[in-house]
Amino acid sequence: MEASLERSDSPHLFSGSTLDGYTSGVWHASALLADRVKAVRQPYSGAGVAELQEQIDTVDLDRPLGDTGAALHEVARLYLDNAVWFHEPTYVAHLNCPVAIPALSAEVLISAVNSSVDTWDQSTAGTLIERRLIDWTAGRIGFGPGADGIFTSGGTQSNLQALLLAREETLAGPAGDRATAIPKLRIFATTESHFSVSKSAGILGLAADAVVGVATDGTGRMDPEALAAAIDDVRRDGGIPMAVVATAGTTDLGRIDPVDAIAGICESRGIWFHVDAAYGCGLLVSRRRNLLDGIERADSVTVDFHKSYFQPVSSSAIVVRRGETMRRIAVHADYLNPRTAVVPNQVDKSLQTTRRFDALKLWMTLRTMGAEQIGAMFDAVIDRAHEVYLEICDDPDFEAVAAPTLSTVLFRYRPAGTTVAECDDLMPRLRQRLFHGGRAIVAGTTIGGHYWLKFTLLNPNTTRDDLRGVLDLIRGIGAEMTGERDEAAAVMA
């Protein structure tokens, strides 16, 4: 009986008796990663789905290798050799950033200690560090001391929570019976807003037509007059305005809605005002801070530190101007966060229960680099976007949609004599061929019914020469594919 009570530490569990194995494993992993990164010369290997699927399927998960080093080498072959490297200067596709080294140091601590910041007795100082960062972010937004917030997994979750708070605030007002009011609730956003707005409406049980499209001003920014008219129309038809979502950095064009004007409309009509600044939150520490004027009047703001603050995924937050609004979604459990608790339990205001201490990454970054350097890095990618836009405008083989606001540039390869229809057919195929070549990765989207390529710049180390090189690759592939098309047409004739 006594023998069964003796502790027998597993050699694979982190503890004081397995530190040699831990340090060896971490060193081995970092060494493997460093070796791969030293050899990286392009953002992707070019491997296709079928090739990678075959490699993954050959692994027998019921026959362990029994050795961390062997498993790491297998993972290096399967994963690292075919990873998409966001630090490579010719990766210019999506809102993925190279990450700050201080944040990577924090990841070592986060994963090993494995704090869960839902309750005080699982995180202690971790809870206070996160709360301090929320206060710091709220101060940058311009909120007063009554602000509050919580770290989340990303912009989609932050937007969902903001709209949940908006729903509860609206239903707590003169909306009437909850069951009859919910089908009448309406959210106002433009077609340029993030897809998570519509997704959130569905999750929240709103009507299929709950998201009301607001016209833009022709540049991709919400038109305040159109917003006011849309709100009045909804009320006239018996609907209940629940929230207005302004975007500070639309995904495609990087546009910033006129936040201050929208805030005035929401205030005068008593509607929750949410600003989705997942992309544009870097402006809070930028020399371009004025682009967010009026954001301090919002009821809630989404910030994605894992975009323009150069943090590893995940690192996002929702911040609210009036902290008491967070209490509308609080649920208490006696075993976890009883109502009588006198310590701060973050689960009171989070949609998640178990939650990583992701805030430590931002803390380490701020304490090492400082906000000014982060802002300068974000400004650098915006500057680069403006530079490459001008180069594209001067190149007869390309055309651009419009001058950038942030760091996205929409353009296409369209040499003389190429019709719009031919361009729409060519661009998505060109993008795929570029991706499978692995030397550069760009994004693609549809604007006004036409297909465009997209540079999304979030790497301060990407130079004008790097972007010229990507344009030359696109030009070369485009010319090659146009020649193939013409040859095929000639054969058919």
Side-chain angles (χ1 to χ4, degrees), residues 233-428:
D233 287 345
V234 162
R235 281 191 166 141
R236 190 179 303 112
D237 293 339
I240 303 172
M242 182 188 103
V244 173
V245 179
T247 308
T250 58
T251 303
D252 281 338
L253 290 167
R255 295 294 187 245
I256 299 172
D257 289 334
V259 174
D260 203 41
I262 295 169
I265 293 170
C266 292
E267 288 169 2
S268 66
R269 288 165 169 78
I271 303 172
W272 184 281
F273 179 34
H274 176 62
V275 178
D276 177 4
Y279 176 13
C281 62
L283 295 171
L284 293 172
V285 291
S286 153
R287 70 173 188 267
R288 296 175 167 90
R289 173 62 176 79
N290 64 292
L291 294 177
L292 294 181
D293 284 352
I295 195 171
E296 69 281 355
R297 302 169 69 183
D299 292 289
S300 56
V301 176
T302 288
V303 291
D304 266 11
F305 302 115
H306 58 224
K307 288 186 173 69
S308 49
Y309 282 67
F310 309 97
Q311 297 298 289
V313 173
S314 58
S315 184
S316 180
I318 174 178
V319 187
V320 298
R321 179 163 49 86
R322 293 171 290 120
E324 64 269 17
T325 60
M326 298 287 282
R327 292 199 291 270
R328 292 206 179 276
I329 63 168
V331 177
H332 297 274
D334 288 340
Y335 65 86
L336 190 67
N337 61 327
R339 291 181 183 276
T340 56
V342 294
V343 292
N345 289 318
Q346 299 277 76
V347 73
D348 293 359
K349 54 192 176 184
S350 175
L351 298 184
Q352 298 171 253
T353 303
T354 302
R355 192 164 53 85
R356 292 183 88 236
F357 182 27
D358 286 314
L360 186 62
K361 296 179 288 192
L362 179 60
W363 181 276
M364 278 288 293
T365 303
L366 287 173
R367 297 304 297 144
T368 303
M369 296 168 50
E372 186 175 337
Q373 188 172 348
I374 295 171
M377 290 161 61
F378 191 50
D379 279 324
V381 296
I382 297 175
D383 291 341
R384 195 72 68 245
H386 284 268
E387 292 166 2
V388 75
Y389 166 75
L390 294 176
E391 295 211 11
I392 289 170
C393 290
D394 288 339
D395 192 318
D397 286 339
F398 292 92
E399 63 180 357
V401 173
T405 300
L406 295 179
S407 62
T408 55
V409 181
L410 267 61
F411 68 100
R412 60 187 175 189
Y413 170 72
R414 189 186 175 191
T418 306
T419 67
V420 170
E422 289 171 337
C423 214
D424 287 339
D425 172 70
L426 177 64
M427 287 306 98

Side-chain angles (χ1 to χ4, degrees), residues 166-186:
R167 187 190 73 179
E168 295 308 297
E169 280 288 297
T170 304
L171 293 174
D177 177 71
R178 187 181 186 94
T180 56
I182 286 179
K184 300 177 183 179
L185 297 178
R186 297 294 182 266

